[in-house]
């Protein structure tokens, strides 16, 4: 059947125009992201693995036990998570994928950071403006329903291959929960509390930072948790455009039909996902 509307052609024309007219901007973004990812990787890889395991274990224990860390009930709460972190990270190191696990963690950290920089302000805007919400919601629907592989096409076009297109594609894929849950959390703040704030003479800025954001903290942290897990779920797809880490090992396992290699790297991703999920959940419950 002959096409009546060639949308793809217009999208291609638009992308070509963006590439030609903003090439310096794409190059600058590529340099910043590549430098950031490489620098964090270098720092993490200089530190001995056992030091990182100890620090992550202590962080997980404190996130779970909180102010009761030195008390009996705190030890009971935090010990199980700390035990899992030690066993999980030692397993990753023993399988020989420590460097790849560090690269994957760096990719997730950078992608999550960028997603939150844009996601939380957009969520606040969507919560405080019905017009903004009406514009942003369909865009988020598009971002969440579009197949993840499609994000790689413009990412490759603008940034070639490497960590940068992987980070960009991961940011686009993982950003919607940050916007949605930030907006939801703020909109669910009881109106009588906000009215009381206005009655006592609070400004819009004080209403936002001293009432809405603190009361919406749990929902916003749930959004951050979702961003991290979605970013981690993209590591295999991101590896197809040259992103390093456990995802690239899984991809090699698929290409080489090497079940053991793919399974071990996949197991490493699962360990990282559980650790990050439990830590962020524990922080969100406080």
């Amino acid at each position: 059947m002959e096409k009546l509307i060639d949308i793809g052609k217009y999208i291609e024309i638009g992308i070509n125009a963006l590439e030609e007219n903003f090439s310096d901007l794409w190059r600058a973004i590529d340099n910043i992201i590549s430098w950031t990812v490489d620098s964090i990787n270098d720092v993490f890889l200089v530190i001995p693995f056992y030091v990182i395991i100890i620090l992550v274990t202590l962080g997980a224990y404190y996130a779970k036990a909180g102010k009761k860390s030195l008390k009996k009930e705190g030890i009971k709460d935090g010990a199980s998570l700390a035990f899992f972190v030690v066993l999980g990270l030692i397993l990753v190191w023993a399988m020989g994928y420590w460097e790849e696990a560090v690269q994957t963690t760096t990719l997730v950290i950078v992608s999550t950071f960028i997603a939150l920089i844009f996601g939380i302000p957009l969520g606040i805007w969507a919560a405080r403006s019905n017009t903004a919400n009406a514009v942003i919601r369909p865009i988020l629907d598009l971002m969440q329903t579009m197949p993840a592989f499609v994000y790689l096409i413009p990412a490759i076009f603008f940034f070639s291959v490497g960590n940068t297109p992987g980070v960009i594609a991961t940011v686009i894929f993982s950003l919607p929960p940050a916007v949605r849950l930030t907006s939801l959390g703020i909109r669910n703040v009881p109106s009588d509390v906000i009215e009381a704030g206005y009655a006592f003479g609070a400004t819009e800025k004080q209403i936002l930072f001293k009432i809405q954001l603190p009361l919406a903290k749990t929902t916003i942290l749930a959004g951050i948790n979702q961003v991290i897990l979605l970013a981690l779920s993209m590591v295999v797809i991101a590896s197809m455009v040259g992103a390093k880490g456990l995802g690239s090992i899984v991809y090699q396992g698929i290409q080489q039909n090497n079940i053991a290699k793919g399974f071990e790297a996949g197991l490493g991703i699962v360990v990282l996902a559980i650790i990050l999920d439990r830590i962020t959940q524990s922080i969100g419950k406080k």
Side-chain angles (χ1 to χ4, degrees), residues 34-55:
S34 297
W35 179 84
T36 304
V37 171
D38 292 341
S39 299
I40 296 175
N41 269 334
D42 291 342
V43 170
F44 281 156
L45 291 175
V46 164
I47 302 172
F49 77 93
Y50 52 85
V51 174
I52 293 181
I53 291 177
I54 292 171
L55 292 176

Side-chain angles (χ1 to χ4, degrees), residues 257-278:
N257 197 22
N258 188 332
I259 297 173
K261 194 173 186 178
F263 183 82
E264 287 178 350
L267 183 61
I269 294 173
V270 171
V271 169
L272 292 181
I274 293 175
I275 291 173
L276 292 173
D277 178 58
R278 298 298 185 271

Side-chain angles (χ1 to χ4, degrees), residues 102-119:
V102 168
Q103 291 168 339
T104 296
T105 305
T106 302
L107 186 72
V108 171
I109 290 173
V110 174
S111 302
T112 301
F113 181 72
I114 297 173
L116 296 180
I117 284 178
F118 291 100

Side-chain angles (χ1 to χ4, degrees), residues 59-114:
Y61 175 77
Y62 184 75
K64 186 74 175 178
K67 295 179 181 177
K68 300 177 181 176
S69 300
L70 300 178
K71 297 180 180 178
K72 186 177 180 181
E73 56 268 35
I75 294 173
K76 186 178 178 182
D77 289 340
S80 58
L81 178 58
F83 186 64
F84 176 82
V85 170
V86 172
L87 283 185
L89 293 182
I90 287 179
L91 175 64
V92 172
W93 172 78
M95 289 191 298
Y97 294 121
W98 182 256
E99 182 175 344
E100 288 79 6
V102 168
Q103 291 168 339
T104 296
T105 305
T106 302
L107 186 72
V108 171
I109 290 173
V110 174
S111 302
T112 301
F113 181 72
I114 297 173

Side-chain angles (χ1 to χ4, degrees), residues 1-239:
M1 176 181 171
E2 189 176 345
K3 289 183 178 180
L4 296 177
I5 303 175
D6 196 352
I7 294 177
K9 182 180 178 183
Y10 297 118
I11 296 291
E12 184 179 350
I13 291 172
I15 290 177
N16 282 331
L18 287 172
E19 200 279 334
E20 289 174 6
N21 294 304
F22 298 97
S23 56
D24 290 340
L25 175 64
W26 311 131
R27 195 176 302 113
I29 293 173
D30 187 13
N31 290 336
I32 291 171
I33 292 178
S34 297
W35 179 84
T36 304
V37 171
D38 292 341
S39 299
I40 296 175
N41 269 334
D42 291 342
V43 170
F44 281 156
L45 291 175
V46 164
I47 302 172
F49 77 93
Y50 52 85
V51 174
I52 293 181
I53 291 177
I54 292 171
L55 292 176
V56 175
T57 302
L58 291 174
Y61 175 77
Y62 184 75
K64 186 74 175 178
K67 295 179 181 177
K68 300 177 181 176
S69 300
L70 300 178
K71 297 180 180 178
K72 186 177 180 181
E73 56 268 35
I75 294 173
K76 186 178 178 182
D77 289 340
S80 58
L81 178 58
F83 186 64
F84 176 82
V85 170
V86 172
L87 283 185
L89 293 182
I90 287 179
L91 175 64
V92 172
W93 172 78
M95 289 191 298
Y97 294 121
W98 182 256
E99 182 175 344
E100 288 79 6
V102 168
Q103 291 168 339
T104 296
T105 305
T106 302
L107 186 72
V108 171
I109 290 173
V110 174
S111 302
T112 301
F113 181 72
I114 297 173
L116 296 180
I117 284 178
F118 291 100
I120 291 179
L122 282 173
I124 294 172
W125 190 29
R128 296 167 68 87
S129 167
N130 289 330
T131 304
N133 187 48
V135 173
I136 291 173
R137 280 187 65 185
I139 297 173
L140 296 179
D141 293 339
L142 178 70
M143 291 167 69
Q144 287 192 299
T145 53
M146 183 78 76
F149 286 96
V150 178
Y151 299 139
L152 299 181
I153 299 172
I156 294 174
F157 195 81
F158 290 129
F159 305 107
S160 186
V161 295
N163 282 320
T164 302
V167 168
I168 297 297
T170 303
V171 168
I172 297 172
F173 182 71
S174 61
L175 187 142
V179 182
R180 288 190 191 280
L181 289 174
T182 300
S183 175
L184 178 66
I186 292 176
R187 284 179 178 272
N188 283 342
V189 174
S191 58
D192 54 343
V193 177
I194 297 174
E195 289 171 6
Y198 283 124
F200 282 101
T203 62
E204 288 290 339
K205 186 177 179 182
Q206 289 171 327
I207 292 289
L208 174 63
F209 286 100
K210 296 189 176 181
I211 296 178
Q212 290 178 317
L213 288 180
L215 292 178
K217 186 184 77 172
T218 303
T219 309
I220 294 172
L221 286 172
I224 294 174
N225 173 272
Q226 290 301 304
V227 170
I228 292 172
L229 294 183
L230 285 178
L232 202 49
S233 72
M234 274 288 286
V235 295
V236 177
I237 295 176
S239 71

